[in-house]
Amino acid sequence: MVLRRLLRKRWVLGVVFGLSLIYFLTSTLKQEERTIRDRNLLEARDPDHRIPWKVRFNLGNSSRQITQCRNSIQGKTLLTDELGYVCDRNDLLVNGCCNVNAPSSRQYICKSCLANGCCNIYEHCVSCCLQPDKQPLLESFLNRAADGFQNLFTAVEDHFELCLAKCRTSSQSVQHENTYRNPQAKYCYGESPPELLPI
């Protein structure tokens, strides 16, 4: 009862309104500061940003201890690690690398990929893209990337991240924004879009 009477007074409503206005203005200013900071970070990036093409560690005869591998994570049954190995999820080691001794592990597998660089399986696309001989193709793509893609691909730190980003389904893989050009080859690392199949 007392609270209801108090809320009817104009000065209480004025205080509530004033505090709400102050909160709104400070939130807006903080958001604007974040936007300006992000824009400055993008502009401060080196326009000649080069991607390091060498993976940080080597397998096989290397005497260095492998610490961690990044991998494609989202595959239900298959994964690709940053060394280009594709393996069953069951054959993934605790450090994130594929167990190279497992029967399912294969390096630089392009089994489901077409000659234009479009693949049926995402993990095969990433693995095939990681082949050292694909570097000129990827560098050519980066040099010609449109401004819209430039912000996306300048955030990429190395060859593995570039292949992850490039193989994800992109606007090149679809027509009319709702159907795949080729549902059997929708993951592409190549320059040309998938061949358009008749409906």
Side-chain angles (χ1 to χ4, degrees), residues 175 179-184 194-199:
Q175 66 172 354
T179 56
Y180 287 113
R181 294 175 59 86
N182 181 345
Q184 280 73 47
E195 183 180 327
L196 181 60
L197 293 182
I199 297 175

Side-chain angles (χ1 to χ4, degrees), residues 100-112:
V100 297
N101 298 319
S104 73
S105 292
R106 299 276 184 272
Q107 191 175 30
Y108 305 135
I109 190 166
C110 300
K111 196 163 111 179
S112 74

Side-chain angles (χ1 to χ4, degrees), residues 108-120:
Y108 305 135
I109 190 166
C110 300
K111 196 163 111 179
S112 74
C113 300
L114 304 174
N116 67 350
C118 292
C119 309
N120 186 26

Side-chain angles (χ1 to χ4, degrees), residues 30 32-42:
K30 284 180 185 176
E32 184 65 28
E33 286 174 11
R34 270 185 252 135
T35 304
I36 291 170
R37 188 173 3 101
D38 292 346
R39 191 177 308 132
N40 290 340
L41 281 174
L42 278 175

Side-chain angles (χ1 to χ4, degrees), residues 185-197:
K186 55 189 173 190
Y187 307 108
C188 300
Y189 64 85
E191 293 179 315
S192 55
E195 183 180 327
L196 181 60
L197 293 182

Side-chain angles (χ1 to χ4, degrees), residues 1-197:
M1 204 58 128
V2 175
L3 183 63
R4 197 178 261 177
R5 256 191 245 141
L6 188 62
L7 285 177
R8 286 185 189 162
K9 297 193 182 218
R10 287 187 184 190
W11 69 269
V12 173
L13 293 175
V15 168
V16 170
F17 176 76
L19 291 173
S20 299
L21 183 64
I22 290 170
Y23 175 76
F24 171 75
L25 291 174
T26 56
S27 296
T28 305
L29 289 174
K30 284 180 185 176
Q31 180 63 36
E32 184 65 28
E33 286 174 11
R34 270 185 252 135
T35 304
I36 291 170
R37 188 173 3 101
D38 292 346
R39 191 177 308 132
N40 290 340
L41 281 174
L42 278 175
E43 289 171 359
R45 271 227 181 237
D46 181 10
D48 297 326
H49 175 66
R50 293 283 178 241
I51 291 179
W53 295 101
K54 300 290 185 232
V55 179
R56 291 174 300 205
F57 47 84
N58 201 352
L59 243 134
N61 297 330
S62 175
S63 60
R64 288 184 291 172
Q65 184 67 33
I66 294 173
T67 55
Q68 284 289 105
C69 274
R70 294 169 296 166
N71 60 59
S72 57
I73 300 169
Q74 75 264 16
K76 188 174 182 181
T77 57
L78 292 177
L79 292 167
T80 303
D81 68 18
E82 65 185 302
L83 297 172
Y85 283 92
V86 175
C87 63
D88 288 340
R89 186 171 273 285
N90 303 353
D91 294 327
L92 192 68
L93 301 173
V94 291
N95 65 357
C97 299
C98 285
N99 179 356
V100 297
N101 298 319
S104 73
S105 292
R106 299 276 184 272
Q107 191 175 30
Y108 305 135
I109 190 166
C110 300
K111 196 163 111 179
S112 74
C113 300
L114 304 174
N116 67 350
C118 292
C119 309
N120 186 26
I121 300 171
Y122 175 74
E123 289 75 14
H124 290 181
C125 179
V126 174
S127 180
C128 198
C129 175
L130 285 170
Q131 287 180 344
D133 67 344
K134 300 295 190 277
Q135 179 179 342
L137 172 73
L138 295 169
E139 282 181 331
S140 168
F141 166 76
L142 283 175
N143 291 336
R144 288 190 337 273
D147 288 340
F149 291 116
Q150 204 64 36
N151 289 341
L152 170 66
F153 289 111
T154 53
V156 164
E157 291 295 326
D158 60 14
H159 192 173
F160 180 66
E161 288 182 7
L162 176 61
C163 289
L164 286 175
K166 190 85 172 82
C167 287
R168 285 194 182 95
T169 304
S170 71
S171 59
Q172 272 192 320
S173 298
V174 293
Q175 66 172 354
H176 312 305
E177 298 180 8
N178 63 0
T179 56
Y180 287 113
R181 294 175 59 86
N182 181 345
Q184 280 73 47
K186 55 189 173 190
Y187 307 108
C188 300
Y189 64 85
E191 293 179 315
S192 55
E195 183 180 327
L196 181 60
L197 293 182

